Amino acid sequence: MIYLLISICCSVTVAVLLKLARRYKINIVQAVTWNYLFAIVLSLFFFKPSFSELTSAPVNSVYIALGILLPVVFWFLAGSVRNIGIVKTDIAQRLSLFLPIMAAYFIFKEQFSLLKIAGLSVGFIAIFFTLYKKTAQKNEGLNWLYPIFVFIGFGIIDILFKKIAQIKAIPYTSSLIVIFILAFVISLVAVFYLSAFKKQKIEFVNFICGCILGFFNFFNILFYLKAHRMMADNPSVVFAAMNMGVIIAGSLVGILIFKEKLNKLNYWGLALALLAILLITNPFS
């Protein structure tokens, strides 16, 4: 369980860093770019892939789609954390697991139990309750777009990673490095575009913050994979513990440290999100 605890802490730390980015005027696009560069360096150090593995990767549309989606969804994740807070963003991100589950049912024709169907139903109610706000200012409605894009984006990313896992030509970790490289290149293009046409300065502080972000982002993935290896016979336990752990820890940080305000329906949404994850990852479902 120690691997899961470390992974949960790293995941919540990423959200905290994104929350603090606005306060310290950190350029998110630049920070996310250097995050992927640092993740590549760490991946090469820990996974030690051979050069032939990386060059033999079958770079197809799935790799390219992930290379584009990872930085774009990361930008929306940062916007969501800044505009609606850590609590709601973490719930939107974790409930995105419903999209690959629905894909398994509608596309891959997997048979669902009543528990899993109940979990999906509860999950969608949880999303509505979590994002509900009684009073909305004129531009408040736009803030709803951030968690919605986080929900959809991470759901699609999860589906694409499942496709990557089916590729046997190279190890999964080598595929991950290739995707990090593609994400870095695409992010770098965005940085140069904003620098050339929007006159945004490339600052060293964003590089430092990006490296810190990449450190926690990478170890979140590394220890999550280690937890799955250690508990290979109980993947649903790992999945449920990770998702519920992030929601609980993120909620505590958001409410207690950043004083994020939730109404009664939001708290109901939080409770329903935990229930939904329990139902759909139940070993009997």
Side-chain angles (χ1 to χ4, degrees):
M1 289 298 288
I2 186 66
Y3 290 147
L4 266 178
L5 289 174
I6 295 173
S7 182
I8 289 167
C9 289
C10 288
S11 179
V12 174
T13 301
V14 168
V16 170
L17 291 172
L18 294 175
K19 180 79 172 180
L20 295 172
R22 172 182 283 181
R23 182 182 300 178
Y24 295 101
K25 296 181 171 58
I26 301 301
N27 185 301
I28 289 297
V29 174
Q30 290 183 32
V32 168
T33 301
W34 308 129
N35 146 77
Y36 286 119
L37 176 62
F38 201 64
I40 292 167
V41 173
L42 289 172
S43 297
L44 292 173
F45 178 79
F46 281 96
F47 299 145
K48 294 179 173 56
S50 66
F51 182 74
S52 60
E53 284 178 358
L54 298 179
T55 54
S56 62
V59 181
N60 53 32
S61 58
V62 178
Y63 281 88
I64 295 170
L66 278 169
I68 295 171
L69 277 174
L70 280 178
V72 171
V73 174
F74 215 137
W75 298 336
F76 278 105
L77 179 69
S80 183
V81 169
R82 290 198 311 269
N83 287 278
I84 71 165
I86 294 174
V87 180
K88 296 181 180 182
T89 300
D90 275 340
I91 293 174
Q93 181 181 351
R94 295 299 155 179
L95 288 181
S96 65
L97 64 96
F98 296 143
L99 294 183
I101 289 174
M102 290 179 67
Y105 180 78
F106 289 106
I107 298 175
F108 302 108
K109 307 302 180 182
E110 181 181 330
Q111 295 299 313
F112 278 16
S113 68
L114 289 176
L115 279 178
K116 190 164 286 187
I117 294 172
L120 287 170
S121 303
V122 171
F124 284 113
I125 298 172
I127 293 169
F128 173 77
F129 281 6
T130 302
L131 301 180
Y132 178 80
K133 192 168 184 178
K134 290 182 180 179
T135 58
Q137 298 174 354
K138 188 174 181 180
N139 62 346
E140 190 73 26
L142 294 176
N143 291 340
W144 282 62
L145 292 176
Y146 291 106
I148 289 173
F149 276 115
V150 167
F151 173 80
I152 296 173
F154 274 102
I156 294 173
I157 285 171
D158 194 27
I159 293 170
L160 293 178
F161 267 122
K162 290 182 188 300
K163 287 185 171 292
I164 291 293
Q166 296 174 347
I167 296 175
K168 304 301 181 183
I170 63 173
Y172 184 76
T173 50
S174 297
S175 289
L176 192 63
I177 296 172
V178 172
I179 293 165
F180 282 158
I181 293 171
L182 289 172
F184 171 66
V185 171
I186 290 165
S187 299
L188 200 59
V189 170
V191 168
F192 286 140
Y193 171 82
L194 292 173
S195 176
F197 296 99
K198 301 297 182 180
K199 307 304 178 185
Q200 288 187 6
K201 292 182 180 179
I202 299 178
E203 297 177 314
F204 186 66
V205 65
N206 296 319
F207 173 77
I208 297 299
C209 292
C211 289
I212 297 172
L213 192 66
F215 177 87
F216 287 103
N217 202 19
F218 172 78
F219 281 104
N220 170 33
I221 297 170
L222 177 65
F223 284 103
Y224 184 58
L225 291 175
K226 283 181 176 291
H228 268 295
R229 290 195 191 103
M230 287 291 293
M231 292 184 278
D233 296 330
N234 297 288
S236 62
V237 174
V238 176
F239 198 69
M242 181 65 187
N243 282 273
M244 289 190 294
V246 169
I247 289 177
I248 293 170
S251 299
L252 290 174
V253 169
I255 295 168
L256 299 178
I257 297 178
F258 292 101
K259 309 300 181 184
E260 294 178 6
K261 302 296 183 184
L262 300 181
N263 57 44
K264 288 183 179 179
L265 280 182
N266 296 155
Y267 281 109
W268 273 108
L270 173 60
L272 288 173
L274 296 174
L275 175 61
I277 290 170
L278 275 176
L279 288 172
I280 65 172
T281 57
N282 189 294
F284 299 105
S285 64

